[in-house]
Amino acid sequence: MPATLLFARRLKNNEIYDRQGNKLGAIQDVMLADDISSVRYVVLGFSESLTAPKKSFAVPMEVLTLDTENECFVVDVPKERLAAADGFDPSHPPPNADPLFDASTHV
């Protein structure tokens, strides 16, 4: 089966859900490595509720699973874990993805 190719411009605003089906937010941006040879991470715009302020998280591409049936991405980090985390200031993006998404740190 051939690989699914995605236009980078179409990644923006794609929704991301946790494994339990909770919507976490959407991709706000795609961050490239400085040599532009690879995607460093995507920026997840997360909000716990409509009234809560939005948080930004640096999600490595390798932890995202493409759900072609529902046209979204899935990540193995529960919504509660993101709600308890700080995220980052979008005006000062981090150089690397958030360790919160490291598979070895999942409970």
Side-chain angles (χ1 to χ4, degrees), residues 74-96:
V74 178
V75 68
D76 196 20
V77 173
K79 185 174 188 172
E80 298 77 25
R81 194 156 181 197
L82 295 180
D86 291 331
F88 71 87
D89 178 354
S91 63
H92 296 90
N96 296 304

PDB file of all heavy atoms in Angstrom, residues 74-96:
ATOM      1  N   VAL A  74      -4.532  11.383  16.058  1.00  0.00           N
ATOM      2  CA  VAL A  74      -4.731  10.861  17.409  1.00  0.00           C
ATOM      3  C   VAL A  74      -3.373  10.799  18.080  1.00  0.00           C
ATOM      4  O   VAL A  74      -2.366  10.441  17.458  1.00  0.00           O
ATOM      5  CB  VAL A  74      -5.381   9.455  17.371  1.00  0.00           C
ATOM      6  CG1 VAL A  74      -5.548   8.890  18.766  1.00  0.00           C
ATOM      7  CG2 VAL A  74      -6.719   9.509  16.642  1.00  0.00           C
ATOM      8  N   VAL A  75      -3.347  11.165  19.362  1.00  0.00           N
ATOM      9  CA  VAL A  75      -2.117  11.118  20.149  1.00  0.00           C
ATOM     10  C   VAL A  75      -2.415  10.382  21.448  1.00  0.00           C
ATOM     11  O   VAL A  75      -3.533  10.470  21.981  1.00  0.00           O
ATOM     12  CB  VAL A  75      -1.557  12.546  20.390  1.00  0.00           C
ATOM     13  CG1 VAL A  75      -2.461  13.357  21.290  1.00  0.00           C
ATOM     14  CG2 VAL A  75      -0.150  12.508  20.937  1.00  0.00           C
ATOM     15  N   ASP A  76      -1.438   9.656  21.959  1.00  0.00           N
ATOM     16  CA  ASP A  76      -1.619   8.832  23.154  1.00  0.00           C
ATOM     17  C   ASP A  76      -1.285   9.599  24.436  1.00  0.00           C
ATOM     18  O   ASP A  76      -0.487   9.144  25.248  1.00  0.00           O
ATOM     19  CB  ASP A  76      -0.757   7.573  23.029  1.00  0.00           C
ATOM     20  CG  ASP A  76      -1.169   6.498  24.014  1.00  0.00           C
ATOM     21  OD1 ASP A  76      -2.309   6.554  24.512  1.00  0.00           O
ATOM     22  OD2 ASP A  76      -0.351   5.611  24.291  1.00  0.00           O
ATOM     23  N   VAL A  77      -1.886  10.770  24.582  1.00  0.00           N
ATOM     24  CA  VAL A  77      -1.748  11.562  25.811  1.00  0.00           C
ATOM     25  C   VAL A  77      -3.156  12.023  26.184  1.00  0.00           C
ATOM     26  O   VAL A  77      -3.831  12.656  25.369  1.00  0.00           O
ATOM     27  CB  VAL A  77      -0.821  12.784  25.609  1.00  0.00           C
ATOM     28  CG1 VAL A  77      -0.820  13.673  26.832  1.00  0.00           C
ATOM     29  CG2 VAL A  77       0.597  12.332  25.298  1.00  0.00           C
ATOM     30  N   PRO A  78      -3.628  11.681  27.386  1.00  0.00           N
ATOM     31  CA  PRO A  78      -4.994  12.049  27.753  1.00  0.00           C
ATOM     32  C   PRO A  78      -5.172  13.560  27.965  1.00  0.00           C
ATOM     33  O   PRO A  78      -4.239  14.273  28.343  1.00  0.00           O
ATOM     34  CB  PRO A  78      -5.249  11.284  29.053  1.00  0.00           C
ATOM     35  CG  PRO A  78      -3.921  10.899  29.566  1.00  0.00           C
ATOM     36  CD  PRO A  78      -2.959  10.900  28.416  1.00  0.00           C
ATOM     37  N   LYS A  79      -6.383  14.002  27.722  1.00  0.00           N
ATOM     38  CA  LYS A  79      -6.741  15.415  27.856  1.00  0.00           C
ATOM     39  C   LYS A  79      -6.384  15.963  29.245  1.00  0.00           C
ATOM     40  O   LYS A  79      -5.893  17.080  29.383  1.00  0.00           O
ATOM     41  CB  LYS A  79      -8.238  15.577  27.586  1.00  0.00           C
ATOM     42  CG  LYS A  79      -8.727  16.988  27.561  1.00  0.00           C
ATOM     43  CD  LYS A  79     -10.180  17.055  27.145  1.00  0.00           C
ATOM     44  CE  LYS A  79     -10.585  18.495  26.930  1.00  0.00           C
ATOM     45  NZ  LYS A  79     -11.943  18.600  26.347  1.00  0.00           N
ATOM     46  N   GLU A  80      -6.598  15.167  30.277  1.00  0.00           N
ATOM     47  CA  GLU A  80      -6.331  15.602  31.658  1.00  0.00           C
ATOM     48  C   GLU A  80      -4.855  15.946  31.861  1.00  0.00           C
ATOM     49  O   GLU A  80      -4.510  16.841  32.624  1.00  0.00           O
ATOM     50  CB  GLU A  80      -6.757  14.517  32.658  1.00  0.00           C
ATOM     51  CG  GLU A  80      -8.240  14.185  32.639  1.00  0.00           C
ATOM     52  CD  GLU A  80      -8.669  13.307  31.469  1.00  0.00           C
ATOM     53  OE1 GLU A  80      -7.835  12.566  30.918  1.00  0.00           O
ATOM     54  OE2 GLU A  80      -9.851  13.368  31.092  1.00  0.00           O
ATOM     55  N   ARG A  81      -4.009  15.205  31.182  1.00  0.00           N
ATOM     56  CA  ARG A  81      -2.563  15.449  31.313  1.00  0.00           C
ATOM     57  C   ARG A  81      -2.181  16.794  30.700  1.00  0.00           C
ATOM     58  O   ARG A  81      -1.358  17.525  31.241  1.00  0.00           O
ATOM     59  CB  ARG A  81      -1.795  14.318  30.650  1.00  0.00           C
ATOM     60  CG  ARG A  81      -0.354  14.298  31.015  1.00  0.00           C
ATOM     61  CD  ARG A  81       0.178  12.919  30.848  1.00  0.00           C
ATOM     62  NE  ARG A  81       1.561  12.930  31.235  1.00  0.00           N
ATOM     63  CZ  ARG A  81       2.405  11.997  30.920  1.00  0.00           C
ATOM     64  NH1 ARG A  81       2.003  10.971  30.220  1.00  0.00           N
ATOM     65  NH2 ARG A  81       3.651  12.077  31.297  1.00  0.00           N
ATOM     66  N   LEU A  82      -2.792  17.130  29.565  1.00  0.00           N
ATOM     67  CA  LEU A  82      -2.540  18.429  28.948  1.00  0.00           C
ATOM     68  C   LEU A  82      -3.136  19.553  29.784  1.00  0.00           C
ATOM     69  O   LEU A  82      -2.551  20.630  29.910  1.00  0.00           O
ATOM     70  CB  LEU A  82      -3.098  18.472  27.531  1.00  0.00           C
ATOM     71  CG  LEU A  82      -2.445  17.532  26.531  1.00  0.00           C
ATOM     72  CD1 LEU A  82      -3.104  17.672  25.172  1.00  0.00           C
ATOM     73  CD2 LEU A  82      -0.952  17.778  26.431  1.00  0.00           C
ATOM     74  N   ALA A  83      -4.299  19.313  30.367  1.00  0.00           N
ATOM     75  CA  ALA A  83      -4.940  20.328  31.199  1.00  0.00           C
ATOM     76  C   ALA A  83      -4.056  20.693  32.391  1.00  0.00           C
ATOM     77  O   ALA A  83      -4.016  21.854  32.813  1.00  0.00           O
ATOM     78  CB  ALA A  83      -6.301  19.836  31.676  1.00  0.00           C
ATOM     79  N   ALA A  84      -3.323  19.723  32.922  1.00  0.00           N
ATOM     80  CA  ALA A  84      -2.466  19.960  34.081  1.00  0.00           C
ATOM     81  C   ALA A  84      -1.092  20.537  33.712  1.00  0.00           C
ATOM     82  O   ALA A  84      -0.378  21.022  34.579  1.00  0.00           O
ATOM     83  CB  ALA A  84      -2.278  18.657  34.854  1.00  0.00           C
ATOM     84  N   ALA A  85      -0.732  20.487  32.440  1.00  0.00           N
ATOM     85  CA  ALA A  85       0.588  20.959  31.996  1.00  0.00           C
ATOM     86  C   ALA A  85       0.527  22.437  31.592  1.00  0.00           C
ATOM     87  O   ALA A  85      -0.544  22.981  31.337  1.00  0.00           O
ATOM     88  CB  ALA A  85       1.070  20.111  30.829  1.00  0.00           C
ATOM     89  N   ASP A  86       1.708  23.052  31.520  1.00  0.00           N
ATOM     90  CA  ASP A  86       1.780  24.489  31.227  1.00  0.00           C
ATOM     91  C   ASP A  86       1.740  24.845  29.749  1.00  0.00           C
ATOM     92  O   ASP A  86       1.239  25.898  29.385  1.00  0.00           O
ATOM     93  CB  ASP A  86       3.068  25.083  31.821  1.00  0.00           C
ATOM     94  CG  ASP A  86       3.040  25.102  33.331  1.00  0.00           C
ATOM     95  OD1 ASP A  86       1.936  25.191  33.906  1.00  0.00           O
ATOM     96  OD2 ASP A  86       4.120  25.014  33.939  1.00  0.00           O
ATOM     97  N   GLY A  87       2.294  24.026  28.888  1.00  0.00           N
ATOM     98  CA  GLY A  87       2.418  24.414  27.491  1.00  0.00           C
ATOM     99  C   GLY A  87       3.564  25.409  27.328  1.00  0.00           C
ATOM    100  O   GLY A  87       4.407  25.552  28.208  1.00  0.00           O
ATOM    101  N   PHE A  88       3.598  26.122  26.182  1.00  0.00           N
ATOM    102  CA  PHE A  88       4.655  27.111  25.959  1.00  0.00           C
ATOM    103  C   PHE A  88       4.069  28.402  25.407  1.00  0.00           C
ATOM    104  O   PHE A  88       2.952  28.428  24.892  1.00  0.00           O
ATOM    105  CB  PHE A  88       5.754  26.562  25.037  1.00  0.00           C
ATOM    106  CG  PHE A  88       5.349  26.392  23.587  1.00  0.00           C
ATOM    107  CD1 PHE A  88       5.460  27.450  22.692  1.00  0.00           C
ATOM    108  CD2 PHE A  88       4.884  25.183  23.118  1.00  0.00           C
ATOM    109  CE1 PHE A  88       5.097  27.299  21.359  1.00  0.00           C
ATOM    110  CE2 PHE A  88       4.531  25.020  21.791  1.00  0.00           C
ATOM    111  CZ  PHE A  88       4.632  26.084  20.908  1.00  0.00           C
ATOM    112  N   ASP A  89       4.832  29.469  25.538  1.00  0.00           N
ATOM    113  CA  ASP A  89       4.448  30.778  25.012  1.00  0.00           C
ATOM    114  C   ASP A  89       4.658  30.763  23.500  1.00  0.00           C
ATOM    115  O   ASP A  89       5.799  30.588  23.045  1.00  0.00           O
ATOM    116  CB  ASP A  89       5.317  31.851  25.669  1.00  0.00           C
ATOM    117  CG  ASP A  89       5.047  33.244  25.156  1.00  0.00           C
ATOM    118  OD1 ASP A  89       4.266  33.423  24.199  1.00  0.00           O
ATOM    119  OD2 ASP A  89       5.634  34.187  25.724  1.00  0.00           O
ATOM    120  N   PRO A  90       3.604  30.928  22.703  1.00  0.00           N
ATOM    121  CA  PRO A  90       3.741  30.861  21.250  1.00  0.00           C
ATOM    122  C   PRO A  90       4.709  31.892  20.653  1.00  0.00           C
ATOM    123  O   PRO A  90       5.246  31.671  19.573  1.00  0.00           O
ATOM    124  CB  PRO A  90       2.326  31.107  20.731  1.00  0.00           C
ATOM    125  CG  PRO A  90       1.428  30.847  21.874  1.00  0.00           C
ATOM    126  CD  PRO A  90       2.232  31.112  23.111  1.00  0.00           C
ATOM    127  N   SER A  91       4.963  32.972  21.363  1.00  0.00           N
ATOM    128  CA  SER A  91       5.918  33.962  20.851  1.00  0.00           C
ATOM    129  C   SER A  91       7.366  33.532  21.086  1.00  0.00           C
ATOM    130  O   SER A  91       8.289  34.158  20.581  1.00  0.00           O
ATOM    131  CB  SER A  91       5.660  35.335  21.455  1.00  0.00           C
ATOM    132  OG  SER A  91       5.847  35.311  22.849  1.00  0.00           O
ATOM    133  N   HIS A  92       7.556  32.457  21.854  1.00  0.00           N
ATOM    134  CA  HIS A  92       8.889  31.903  22.121  1.00  0.00           C
ATOM    135  C   HIS A  92       8.839  30.380  21.988  1.00  0.00           C
ATOM    136  O   HIS A  92       8.912  29.656  22.989  1.00  0.00           O
ATOM    137  CB  HIS A  92       9.369  32.289  23.523  1.00  0.00           C
ATOM    138  CG  HIS A  92       9.558  33.756  23.692  1.00  0.00           C
ATOM    139  ND1 HIS A  92       8.551  34.577  24.126  1.00  0.00           N
ATOM    140  CD2 HIS A  92      10.627  34.540  23.450  1.00  0.00           C
ATOM    141  CE1 HIS A  92       8.997  35.818  24.165  1.00  0.00           C
ATOM    142  NE2 HIS A  92      10.241  35.832  23.750  1.00  0.00           N
ATOM    143  N   PRO A  93       8.697  29.877  20.759  1.00  0.00           N
ATOM    144  CA  PRO A  93       8.586  28.432  20.599  1.00  0.00           C
ATOM    145  C   PRO A  93       9.848  27.701  21.049  1.00  0.00           C
ATOM    146  O   PRO A  93      10.954  28.209  20.878  1.00  0.00           O
ATOM    147  CB  PRO A  93       8.357  28.249  19.094  1.00  0.00           C
ATOM    148  CG  PRO A  93       8.767  29.515  18.457  1.00  0.00           C
ATOM    149  CD  PRO A  93       8.671  30.594  19.491  1.00  0.00           C
ATOM    150  N   PRO A  94       9.671  26.532  21.636  1.00  0.00           N
ATOM    151  CA  PRO A  94      10.836  25.768  22.108  1.00  0.00           C
ATOM    152  C   PRO A  94      11.606  25.163  20.930  1.00  0.00           C
ATOM    153  O   PRO A  94      11.046  24.972  19.848  1.00  0.00           O
ATOM    154  CB  PRO A  94      10.204  24.671  22.962  1.00  0.00           C
ATOM    155  CG  PRO A  94       8.850  24.483  22.379  1.00  0.00           C
ATOM    156  CD  PRO A  94       8.410  25.840  21.903  1.00  0.00           C
ATOM    157  N   PRO A  95      12.887  24.855  21.142  1.00  0.00           N
ATOM    158  CA  PRO A  95      13.689  24.266  20.063  1.00  0.00           C
ATOM    159  C   PRO A  95      13.292  22.823  19.742  1.00  0.00           C
ATOM    160  O   PRO A  95      13.539  22.349  18.643  1.00  0.00           O
ATOM    161  CB  PRO A  95      15.119  24.339  20.588  1.00  0.00           C
ATOM    162  CG  PRO A  95      14.977  24.403  22.076  1.00  0.00           C
ATOM    163  CD  PRO A  95      13.675  25.092  22.350  1.00  0.00           C
ATOM    164  N   ASN A  96      12.674  22.145  20.703  1.00  0.00           N
ATOM    165  CA  ASN A  96      12.323  20.731  20.514  1.00  0.00           C
ATOM    166  C   ASN A  96      10.921  20.453  21.027  1.00  0.00           C
ATOM    167  O   ASN A  96      10.336  21.263  21.744  1.00  0.00           O
ATOM    168  CB  ASN A  96      13.317  19.834  21.264  1.00  0.00           C
ATOM    169  CG  ASN A  96      14.707  19.960  20.717  1.00  0.00           C
ATOM    170  OD1 ASN A  96      14.930  19.759  19.529  1.00  0.00           O
ATOM    171  ND2 ASN A  96      15.649  20.320  21.570  1.00  0.00           N
TER     172      ASN A  96
END
